[in-house]
Amino acid sequence: MTEMSDQTRLSLPLVLDGATGTEYMKAGFPSGDCLEYWASQHPQVVAQVARSYAQAGSNVVYAPTFLANGGNLKMYGLDDQVHQLNTTLVRTVKEALQGLPVLVAGDMSTTGLIPEPFGETEFVQLVNLYAEQACALAEAGADLLVVETMSSLCECRAAVLGSRQTGLPMMVTITVDGEGRTMWGDDALAALVTLQDMGIFAFGLNCSQGPEDMLAQFQRLAPYAKVPLAAKPNAGNPPLTAVQFSDRCAKLMRQGVQIIGGCCGTDPTYVSALRHMVDGFDISKVQIKPAEYSILAAGKQVYYLDEDLEFSQPVRCEVDMSDALLEAAGERCDAVLVHLDTPDDGYRFSLNAHMVDMPVAFQSESLEALDSALLHYNGKALVSSVNCELEREQLEEVAARYGATVI
């Protein structure tokens, strides 16, 4: 097996668990209720489901903390129970698996809130909501964090930024359509390019599609992946048998997937079949040729750039920058150059960033302004060092926090 990190005790390949919501429904969970609260009131069900996946061969079992964040719990009047619910559910799973060689993942997903400029939620508020849940999961003893079934790169970034303070390994999986785009229009490759340089240990896809439907996306992702790829497909439509499912998941592993599990429609029999398949699979024989490129940037999609790229004329930040940004994008240039004077400029640009359908580069003499811009920009940005009085080492330090590239 290929070691990922002695610290994390994670090694490849990994088998994840299967669906949990449907297993809880079999045990009496009423649709429409808050699953996390129900689970906290039925610890025997949580323990039984967790043990069934561990016994089937899962290396990682998810605690049922999927939507136990302040955004979603508020809809049920439970937003004051974030710490209590996450703590209870993680500890229930850990106690159920005590003595077994299985890791427990703190599970996180969407907040249900719409961020600015299309909604009323500030990006930093999303970061804080994820930080609250992540800290509770870490304190409860989660071995790693999984951010799953995500439909927005913005929320993925917020979850990663909010969770980093825990020091736990983080895996992110998104849900895409047949074209590889999330519900919010983010391209899967752009999400990989953006997130893998922000410190996650794995990236992948889950839900929405069966294993064969995911194949084309992983063929596209694998040449760019610096981190292990993960797949948690559903059972398909019509549902595949457990053996059919594992056979098709083997095809995903031949395309570079090293972490595999099941989503909707799968149960312990599917995980057992996956375990059998993975035990006979030699991932060392899978060789993916890396993609050739000079510089990558990303927003809603990925941009391929040469080292001698040309910037637009600097655009200064205002509350309404749409005309200036459109004008800059119309120039014969490779990237729109955004000039920053103050930290507020980074926030102002974020409210207008959707107007730019090309690479973005930030220029500033202020590290605080750069930090704010990179925090708020939902993509992989460039940082211009041209005619900048700041030391390149300083620029690279702030850029590294957000996966940006200094040019």
Side-chain angles (χ1 to χ4, degrees):
M1 293 201 294
T2 302
E3 289 296 323
M4 293 177 64
S5 167
D6 291 336
Q7 270 190 324
T8 62
R9 296 181 292 128
L10 294 169
S11 58
L12 299 174
L14 282 172
V15 175
L16 305 175
D17 60 12
T20 52
T22 48
E23 296 301 292
Y24 292 162
M25 287 180 182
K26 293 176 188 176
F29 168 65
S31 180
D33 282 9
C34 176
L35 185 146
E36 292 72 22
Y37 180 78
W38 184 90
S40 73
Q41 301 301 302
H42 295 80
Q44 71 284 359
V45 175
V46 174
Q48 189 277 324
V49 171
R51 280 194 297 266
S52 69
Y53 280 123
Q55 291 163 356
S58 295
N59 300 115
V60 179
V61 171
Y62 292 14
T65 53
F66 186 65
L67 296 177
N69 60 67
N72 273 289
L73 292 178
K74 188 173 184 178
M75 294 189 293
Y76 300 97
L78 300 171
D79 49 314
D80 61 342
Q81 296 189 35
V82 172
H83 188 275
Q84 178 182 338
L85 288 175
N86 283 280
T87 299
T88 297
L89 295 171
V90 168
R91 289 179 178 170
T92 298
V93 174
K94 286 187 73 70
E95 289 171 8
L97 303 182
Q98 191 169 11
L100 297 174
V102 180
L103 299 177
V104 175
D107 193 13
M108 306 167 71
S109 191
T110 179
T111 63
L113 301 173
I114 301 176
E116 296 177 321
F118 305 107
E120 298 180 353
T121 304
E122 293 185 8
F123 182 71
V124 290
Q125 183 180 346
L126 291 179
V127 174
N128 290 337
L129 287 171
Y130 283 115
E132 179 185 29
Q133 185 181 13
C135 288
L137 293 168
E139 289 175 17
D143 299 298
L144 67 152
L145 300 176
V146 174
V147 182
E148 66 161 337
T149 323
M150 300 297 278
S151 59
S152 157
L153 178 55
C154 174
E155 277 206 304
C156 287
R157 288 187 71 255
V160 171
L161 292 169
S163 301
R164 287 199 300 202
Q165 64 184 289
T166 67
L168 292 177
M170 263 181 294
M171 178 170 72
V172 178
T173 59
I174 64 174
T175 298
V176 298
D177 60 19
E179 300 301 315
R181 292 197 173 273
T182 69
M183 184 179 70
W184 283 95
D186 301 301
D187 178 63
L189 181 56
L192 167 67
V193 167
T194 298
L195 296 169
Q196 69 181 355
D197 287 329
M198 293 180 65
I200 63 174
F201 87 82
F203 174 86
L205 308 177
N206 81 287
C207 200
S208 76
Q209 297 176 316
E212 283 195 321
D213 298 317
M214 288 184 173
L215 194 59
Q217 295 307 320
F218 281 107
Q219 289 173 334
R220 192 164 65 104
L221 294 173
Y224 297 88
K226 302 176 186 177
V227 296
L229 293 174
K232 221 171 186 258
N234 64 31
N237 186 22
L240 301 167
T241 66
V243 172
Q244 291 171 333
F245 180 80
S246 66
D247 286 345
R248 286 157 178 77
C249 284
K251 294 181 181 180
L252 293 177
M253 294 189 69
R254 285 192 284 272
Q255 293 301 324
V257 169
Q258 297 176 307
I259 302 172
I260 193 79
C263 204
C264 305
T266 64
D267 60 26
T269 63
Y270 285 74
V271 171
S272 180
L274 284 178
R275 179 78 270 165
H276 180 75
M277 180 272 289
V278 169
D279 285 345
F281 193 96
D282 186 355
I283 61 171
S284 67
K285 293 183 178 179
V286 178
Q287 301 294 324
I288 306 294
K289 183 180 179 181
E292 295 181 5
Y293 56 85
S294 295
I295 302 167
L296 285 182
K300 288 285 186 183
Q301 60 187 4
V302 169
Y303 309 103
Y304 304 85
L305 303 169
D306 295 324
E307 292 181 356
D308 58 347
L309 62 91
E310 294 186 9
F311 297 128
S312 71
Q313 290 298 310
V315 179
R316 293 193 173 271
C317 296
E318 300 175 325
V319 174
D320 184 358
M321 301 169 57
S322 54
D323 289 342
L325 289 172
L326 290 172
E327 183 178 340
E331 298 178 23
R332 296 196 173 199
C333 62
D334 300 304
V336 171
L337 184 62
V338 178
H339 181 83
L340 310 162
D341 289 316
T342 70
D344 286 343
D345 284 347
Y347 172 67
R348 292 189 186 102
F349 173 71
S350 72
L351 301 180
N352 294 270
H354 60 283
M355 302 297 298
V356 183
D357 191 19
M358 63 187 303
V360 170
F362 294 116
Q363 172 194 70
S364 183
E365 301 296 337
S366 165
L367 289 176
E368 292 79 10
L370 278 174
D371 189 280
S372 174
L374 293 172
L375 166 70
H376 287 92
Y377 180 65
N378 288 304
K380 182 178 178 66
L382 307 175
V383 174
S384 174
S385 62
V386 179
N387 299 323
C388 182
E389 294 182 3
L390 295 172
E391 296 289 336
R392 187 179 181 91
E393 185 177 337
Q394 293 177 295
L395 296 177
E396 289 180 343
E397 183 178 349
V398 69
R401 291 200 286 270
Y402 304 101
T405 301
V406 178
I407 301 298

